[in-house]
Amino acid sequence: DAGVTQSPTHLIKTRGQQVTLRCSPISGHKSVSWYQQVLGQGPQFIFQYYEKEERGRGNFPDRFSARQFPNYSSELNVNALLLGDSALYLCASSLAPRGSGANVLTFGAGSRLTVL
Amino acid sequence: TQLLEQSPQFLSIQEGENLTVYCNSSSVFSSLQWYRQEPGEGPVLLVTVVTGGEVKKLKRLTFQFGDARKDSSLHITAAQPGDTGLYLCAGAGLGGSNYKLTFGKGTLLTVNP
């Protein structure tokens, strides 16, 4: 079975541009989360979506938005790009947003965004 | 705001040595997960610990969750070059906030042959 797939793997944008990143979860997983990982840091939570609804949002500006489609795939959009948005954007899928014990995430390989 | 402090940030050792990585917080977590991330890849889950005081072993790796569920440690015995990578701890919040993982900054481990 395919794992979490993300596209594109690498992209370069200039300041002020907009970017859309895509994620396909593991088959059967209904929850998708997005994380931003700046070089030298751990991933930071951006969004979680479950059944096409936003279930959680991290401390990111409104320039960041996301959505989930009926097939549970997801897109992350970032408008008015800043140099500081350069990072690895990770998508993770899970069976459900809340588990009785732990929310086990499976991460994709990420989309490396460089803003010049 | 929940924070996780990982130490050390960098660790370079020789093959065969033992090491311990620490993950500490002032907050209580419902569970704590350890991931390993290699360059160009996403984090890969190693283990999840849920119960305070829990100890889990994965071959040469031993994971422990603190009694108060605020801290955790990862101990590697007889490290091998294949253990090289970025080790991340991540805590899940309590109750309705357990959908979100709070990650530490990571420990970059290099095991030299």
Side-chain angles (χ1 to χ4, degrees):
Chain A
D1 286 341
V4 178
T5 57
Q6 293 187 243
S7 64
T9 55
H10 296 83
L11 69 165
I12 299 174
K13 293 285 187 178
T14 57
R15 282 178 296 175
Q17 286 189 313
Q18 174 264 342
V19 67
T20 298
L21 308 177
R22 297 175 178 82
C23 171
S24 293
I26 291 174
S27 178
H29 284 193
K30 298 183 178 181
S31 177
V32 169
S33 300
W34 287 95
Y35 286 78
Q36 180 197 63
Q37 187 175 23
V38 174
L39 194 63
Q41 303 288 323
Q44 187 172 358
F45 174 76
I46 310 175
F47 285 112
Q48 191 205 40
Y49 276 76
Y50 177 70
E51 292 284 12
K52 304 183 292 293
E53 291 187 4
E54 181 184 306
R55 294 302 182 96
R57 183 185 183 109
N59 188 25
F60 281 82
D62 292 343
R63 298 185 296 108
F64 289 76
S65 63
R67 55 179 175 169
Q68 187 176 33
F69 299 98
N71 65 353
Y72 303 111
S73 66
S74 178
E75 286 183 351
L76 175 69
N77 295 284
V78 187
N79 294 322
L81 286 168
L82 304 174
L83 296 178
D85 295 330
S86 295
L88 180 67
Y89 287 85
L90 295 163
C91 173
S93 74
S94 60
L95 284 169
R98 297 178 180 83
S100 58
N103 185 22
V104 178
L105 302 181
T106 302
F107 285 87
S111 293
R112 172 74 63 187
L113 171 65
T114 302
V115 182
L116 302 176
Chain B
T1 303
Q2 295 180 312
L3 294 174
L4 274 171
E5 300 286 340
Q6 267 189 257
S7 62
Q9 190 174 355
F10 301 95
L11 192 54
S12 180
I13 61 172
Q14 294 299 121
E15 182 176 0
E17 293 184 357
N18 302 331
L19 67 114
T20 301
V21 177
Y22 299 94
C23 182
N24 296 295
S25 176
S26 59
S27 302
V28 177
F29 293 97
S30 62
S31 67
L32 203 137
Q33 301 171 13
W34 284 91
Y35 292 82
R36 189 173 82 184
Q37 185 177 23
E38 299 191 25
E41 301 292 330
V44 175
L45 181 67
L46 296 173
V47 77
T48 299
V49 285
V50 179
T51 306
E54 183 176 4
V55 177
K56 282 192 174 179
K57 292 190 175 183
L58 184 65
K59 296 184 180 178
R60 294 176 293 100
L61 278 62
T62 302
F63 304 86
Q64 185 164 4
F65 201 12
D67 291 341
R69 293 188 293 156
K70 294 181 179 180
D71 53 84
S72 181
S73 63
L74 157 61
H75 182 79
I76 301 179
T77 303
Q80 299 177 0
D83 295 327
T84 293
L86 179 68
Y87 288 82
L88 295 159
C89 65
L94 295 172
S97 64
N98 76 341
Y99 61 86
K100 178 178 77 170
L101 292 180
T102 299
F103 281 85
K105 290 185 177 181
T107 295
L108 186 59
L109 171 66
T110 302
V111 182
N112 302 298

